[in-house]
Amino acid sequence: MNIRRWSYGFLAATLLVPALAACGSDTDDKPAASGSSPSAPAVPADPKEALLASTKELGKGDFTFTLAGADTTGGGLVHKPSNSAQFTVKFGDASEDVSIEMDMIYIDSESWVKMDMGGAMAAAIPGATKNKGKYQHLDKTKIKDIKDLQLDPETLDPLASDALVKGMTEVQKTGEGAYAGKIDITTAATDSAALDEEVVTALGAQAKALPFTAKLDPQGRLTELVISVPAAGETAAHEVKIGYTGYGAGTGAKKPPADKVVEAPAETYEMFK
């Protein structure tokens, strides 16, 4: 597992979300609260079309999400009305003696990151334990040219489920709001923070036809996507599980407590170069 690439991927997908600021705070098209959309369009009868339509609400930028993978648990929110986003993630790999917990907050043009590292990762990064438990305020002028912290301004979903759905094949409806089939994850490997590019590469041809299940709410919005990933390279077989809730019902991210904030030291910026 490439810890450096993995952790940067989540930072890139959640910190400094320019799409939120670019979209402004216009709430005219804000969706109805989850479960309360009487005028929701009918769910397409065709299974693939139903799944393609299920991610459209994500483009409005008001939802919460969860993610679980091989050694990963995380979750967060995106809230376009307040130009804010937040993501927390816990990662650990006992075989490599590394661990990391991150909490990332973006509000308008300000961003903060809290990083608690352990094991080999803490030992390898200068100053990694110096600000444990503190939110580091990031100077936007120092990270504007760091590619790993940039995000496509057209993207509001760090997990890029729309890209994942486009790779689905052999889709079948298995019950009310329930679907299953095969998915080609190779086309979304660089777009979705839910995927590890090294695992996708190690899977080879298998990555083009992995089993998946998906669930939609009564309004036809994606609530769960589970991809079954076989063992590949040094990574054991596991499931990548994505969840969405709170469509149109968000309240936005909150600033970290002032007494928990420090200015990010030079070492933090150096990590991402």
Side-chain angles (χ1 to χ4, degrees):
M1 174 70 72
N2 187 326
I3 307 302
R4 180 185 176 90
R5 189 216 63 79
W6 183 92
S7 60
Y8 290 0
F10 281 107
L11 284 168
T14 53
L15 280 174
L16 304 178
V17 186
L20 297 176
C23 291
S25 58
D26 182 9
T27 58
D28 290 344
D29 61 350
K30 183 176 181 180
S34 181
S36 62
S37 180
S39 59
V43 178
D46 180 81
K48 179 63 179 288
E49 291 300 319
L51 289 172
L52 287 171
S54 74
T55 64
K56 290 182 179 179
E57 197 77 9
L58 295 170
K60 296 182 179 180
D62 191 354
F63 56 86
T64 59
F65 62 92
T66 58
L67 172 67
D71 301 291
T72 310
T73 57
L77 64 88
V78 174
H79 194 244
K80 176 181 135 180
S82 63
N83 292 331
S84 68
Q86 182 168 10
F87 185 67
T88 59
V89 62
K90 295 181 180 180
F91 172 83
D93 189 328
S95 66
E96 295 189 28
D97 185 31
V98 294
S99 65
I100 181 171
E101 295 185 18
M102 293 186 181
D103 186 5
M104 293 149 284
I105 300 173
Y106 168 90
I107 301 175
D108 288 324
S109 61
E110 299 297 307
S111 54
W112 301 261
V113 57
K114 180 162 70 77
M115 300 182 290
D116 293 341
M117 304 178 189
M121 195 164 193
I125 299 175
T129 61
K130 179 180 179 181
N131 291 309
K132 185 174 182 178
K134 297 288 187 179
Y135 285 88
Q136 299 180 43
H137 177 254
L138 297 173
D139 183 342
K140 60 185 178 182
T141 66
K142 295 182 179 180
I143 58 176
K144 64 179 181 178
D145 295 323
I146 299 177
K147 184 178 179 180
D148 286 315
L149 294 180
Q150 303 307 308
L151 181 66
D152 184 343
E154 299 300 319
T155 301
L156 285 172
D157 176 19
L159 305 182
S161 288
D162 58 338
L164 289 169
V165 169
K166 289 176 182 177
M168 292 178 175
T169 60
E170 304 178 31
V171 184
Q172 297 179 343
K173 186 174 182 178
T174 58
E176 190 61 36
Y179 301 82
K182 296 293 180 66
I183 182 172
D184 178 353
I185 62 172
T186 60
T187 57
T190 59
D191 297 321
S192 177
L195 301 178
D196 185 319
E197 291 181 60
E198 290 189 353
V199 172
V200 175
T201 299
L203 284 169
Q206 292 184 87
K208 292 182 175 293
L210 299 183
F212 82 87
T213 60
K215 295 180 181 178
L216 312 186
D217 67 11
Q219 286 73 46
R221 301 171 297 198
L222 183 65
T223 59
E224 181 182 278
L225 172 60
V226 180
I227 303 171
S228 298
V229 183
E234 298 179 357
T235 304
H238 63 283
E239 290 184 334
V240 172
K241 186 173 183 178
I242 296 169
Y244 294 101
T245 58
Y247 286 103
T251 57
K254 306 300 181 184
K255 288 185 177 182
D259 62 348
K260 296 291 185 181
V261 175
V262 297
E263 288 299 317
E267 291 88 351
T268 296
Y269 301 108
E270 195 64 30
M271 284 177 60
F272 305 110
K273 292 182 179 179

